[in-house]
Amino acid sequence: MAVVATARRRHMRERDPAPPRMRVAAAVVAVVPFLVHAWVALHGYFGQDDFLISYRAAHADPLDFSYLFQDHNGHLMPGTYLLAWVLTAVAPLNFVVAALPIIAMHGVTLWLFWRVLVRLFGYRWSLLPLFAALAASPLILFPTIWWAFGIQLLPVLVAMAAALLAHLRYLERGAVRDAAHAVGWMIGGLLFSEKAALIAGILFAVTVLRGEAFGEAFIRHWRVWAAHLAVIGAFVVLAAALTASQTTKPVPANDVAEFSYRAIVDTFLPGLLGGPFAAAGNGATWATPPLAVRVTAIVLAVVIIVASRRVLPWLFLAGYLAVDLALVAMTRLADVGPDIGADPRYLADAVPVAVLCAAFAFRDRGDRRWPMVAIAALLVVGGTVSFVRVAPSLQFRDARDYVATARKALAEQPHIVLYDTTVPGGIIIPWFIYDNFTSRVIGLVPEAPVFDRPAETLYQLDQTGRPRPVTGLTDSVRDERGPTPDCGHLVKVGPVNIPLTGAASGRRVLKIGYFTGDAGDGVVAVGDTRVPVRFQKGLHVLYVPVNGIGYTHVEVTWNRDLQPLCVTDLEIGLPAS
């Protein structure tokens, strides 16, 4: 009964009007980093996975199960793919339009978590620094300007906060529909990221931290936990069936220790307290913060834990962090190495958990206004400055310039044919193998580029996005000498097989030298490629993109009603420009 009475009092406090000054202070704490984040996000661009997701969305049926539930590097995220389809259908490759849902969900996240804090603890000035740590943490602000990650994390944070509010209503009123709403929000989060499965653990922790004993919390609400576990179990089965295992070979204990140290000391603690006050690193990482920052973060963390004189909230936080770190260690550490600890993406979801645990740890402490406002201001300033400093590395300016350069050239030369070649690693990393191609990056631009068609002049984009004509082939094989004098290989009736001096494999370009007295249609077949071509009257060269494994000859077919076609020479190789 005491728990119920306490809950009712808290609920009544939440319904009371907030003190005007606190309302203004909380709004400033939320709005300042929110606006900075929105401005930076809107001035960013697509990068890496973003291009792949958009390209797949543009070529898919939104109701196709295999599209929505495809394996994305070991993740199931049908919500992401459905949203990508909508955004691509409305405005393909328009980053401002794509960024709007991220900005909106960021704002909703801040609003919902403020409501969670107030519902739990009432309107207290001591909540302001905690809210500032959430609103201005570079752990959240920095990686979410990358669309592919923002659209995974922010839906989970919205689901986490909304599920907490629904669960709190259930604990206060006992209504089954409130518990069902919490389960529904977790399902919604799972549509975007498997991290949403951890929401169930957060709800249990909050139930215990509000005053119920472990056994009581488990037994009294067992139906609630059973419903959550049933959903998690179904998701695990579905993910196991539809994705390739991301569990890698065992990693050395020292790598796990180094990774954990870097993730907590170099990334999580500084990021939670307004850091890192460092430069950007590679990709989504930041550089190791200065020693003074790391030492200060450790000392402050120890002081906060000791000063709280409560152990249980911190044990819950430690457990959550352990699960987060274990997931990364099992799925990414062997491939990437301990440096992955500098990537804030993997602990960003732990920020609101840390805030909640700290709120419970200090719930009965003093509530002096100005010290709390000062601490909140420091956190907002520090976090915002840190975010602005590291943000450029995830704005993908090189990708934006690459696409802009290509679009300008395509507008000037609208009829050129592009060979679909790889792009620089800063735009799409080679990790994606067959998806780090030009067509994934600029295939959706309004200029509608044409790829891999037979052409007398074939172009490929250079490292800056500028089209360059293919001027020769490297690593090539040629045709055997033709038997017909002054012609080479004579093609007049039926297909003619032209043998090569060696075997070729993979994506290549076939260069055909020919002449004929008539213009007409023909067919060229190489490996897995069989493509209609147009031969022009006179002496010409034709480039044909081809693909296959171990092909040893080229088949050419020509219209028998026209004058014969002479193939003077063939070469298959990699294009040079």
Side-chain angles (χ1 to χ4, degrees), residues 47-48 51-52 423-430 432 435-437 440-441:
Q48 304 294 342
F51 290 115
L52 275 59
V423 297
I427 298 174
I428 300 180
I429 58 176
F432 290 106
D435 275 318
N436 63 330
F437 280 81
R440 274 57 170 174
V441 178

Side-chain angles (χ1 to χ4, degrees), residues 214-271:
F214 273 88
E216 179 188 4
F218 181 77
I219 295 172
R220 184 180 177 192
H221 312 292
W222 71 269
R223 292 180 180 84
V224 173
W225 314 130
H228 282 279
L229 289 176
V231 170
I232 294 171
F235 178 82
V236 170
V237 170
L238 188 65
L242 298 178
T243 63
S245 173
Q246 294 297 301
T247 302
T248 59
K249 59 185 179 181
V251 293
N254 59 327
D255 281 0
V256 175
E258 182 182 351
F259 156 68
S260 301
Y261 175 86
R262 294 199 63 180
I264 298 298
V265 175
D266 296 354
T267 304
F268 185 69
L269 292 180

Side-chain angles (χ1 to χ4, degrees), residues 299-534:
V299 171
L300 285 175
V302 172
V303 169
I304 289 171
I305 292 172
V306 172
S308 70
R309 296 201 295 271
R310 284 190 173 91
V311 176
L312 190 56
W314 306 116
L315 290 178
F316 276 122
L317 176 59
Y320 191 94
L321 290 172
V323 172
D324 264 358
L325 294 174
L327 289 173
V328 179
M330 289 189 299
T331 60
R332 293 288 187 269
L333 187 55
D335 296 326
V336 182
D339 288 347
I340 199 173
D343 194 329
R345 290 178 296 164
Y346 298 107
L347 290 177
D349 58 293
V351 173
V353 179
V355 167
L356 284 171
C357 290
F360 276 108
F362 286 93
R363 58 182 161 181
D364 297 327
R365 297 309 176 87
D367 197 44
R368 298 176 63 185
R369 180 200 306 171
W370 292 115
M372 298 297 102
V373 170
I375 295 172
L378 287 174
L379 288 169
V380 169
V381 171
T384 304
V385 169
S386 290
F387 164 61
V388 170
R389 186 173 183 184
V390 297
S393 68
L394 282 184
Q395 287 184 299
F396 298 112
R397 296 173 181 176
D398 289 345
R400 180 182 59 199
D401 294 343
Y402 181 94
V403 173
T405 299
R407 290 190 61 184
K408 181 180 178 181
L410 290 170
E412 295 171 351
Q413 305 176 75
H415 302 298
I416 65 174
V417 176
L418 295 175
Y419 177 68
D420 198 7
T421 188
T422 56
V423 297
I427 298 174
I428 300 180
I429 58 176
W431 187 345
F432 290 106
I433 307 177
Y434 300 111
D435 275 318
N436 63 330
F437 280 81
T438 310
S439 61
R440 274 57 170 174
V441 178
I442 66 165
L444 304 182
V445 298
E447 289 75 15
V450 176
F451 294 95
D452 289 352
R453 301 274 183 84
E456 292 201 356
T457 303
L458 187 65
Y459 293 80
Q460 62 180 349
L461 299 188
D462 64 14
Q463 296 293 298
T464 68
R466 188 179 303 279
R468 303 289 186 184
V470 173
T471 56
L473 301 177
T474 63
D475 189 25
S476 62
V477 295
R478 295 179 177 272
D479 62 311
E480 294 183 358
R481 183 180 180 86
T484 306
D486 300 324
C487 176
H489 302 278
L490 181 64
V491 184
K492 57 180 182 178
V493 179
V496 173
N497 283 327
I498 303 175
L500 302 172
T501 56
S505 292
R507 279 178 48 79
R508 302 269 172 153
V509 171
L510 166 64
K511 178 183 177 183
I512 305 176
Y514 71 91
F515 66 86
T516 180
D518 287 320
D521 296 326
V523 176
V524 173
V526 185
D528 299 330
T529 303
R530 185 175 183 85
V531 57
V533 298
R534 180 73 178 178

Side-chain angles (χ1 to χ4, degrees), residues 42 81 97 102 129 161 182 197 201 255 439 532 554:
L42 290 172
Y81 275 105
V97 173
I102 289 178
D255 281 0
S439 61
V554 176

Side-chain angles (χ1 to χ4, degrees), residues 46 50 53-58 60-63 67-68 70 77-94 97-105 147-156 188 191-192:
F46 297 106
D50 302 348
I53 294 171
S54 298
Y55 181 83
R56 293 171 185 173
D61 181 343
L63 300 180
Y67 163 69
L68 293 177
Q70 63 185 281
M77 43 189 204
T80 297
Y81 275 105
L82 180 60
L83 179 59
W85 184 89
V86 173
L87 294 172
T88 304
V90 171
L93 218 63
N94 185 314
V97 173
L100 291 179
I102 289 178
I103 294 170
M105 283 187 285
W147 189 87
F149 181 72
I151 213 64
Q152 291 181 60
L153 176 66
L154 289 170
V156 171
L191 294 177
F192 294 86

Side-chain angles (χ1 to χ4, degrees), residues 14 18 77 144 205 295 298 319 400 498 568:
E14 188 203 24
M77 43 189 204
T144 52
V295 171
I298 294 172
R400 180 182 59 199
I498 303 175
T568 58

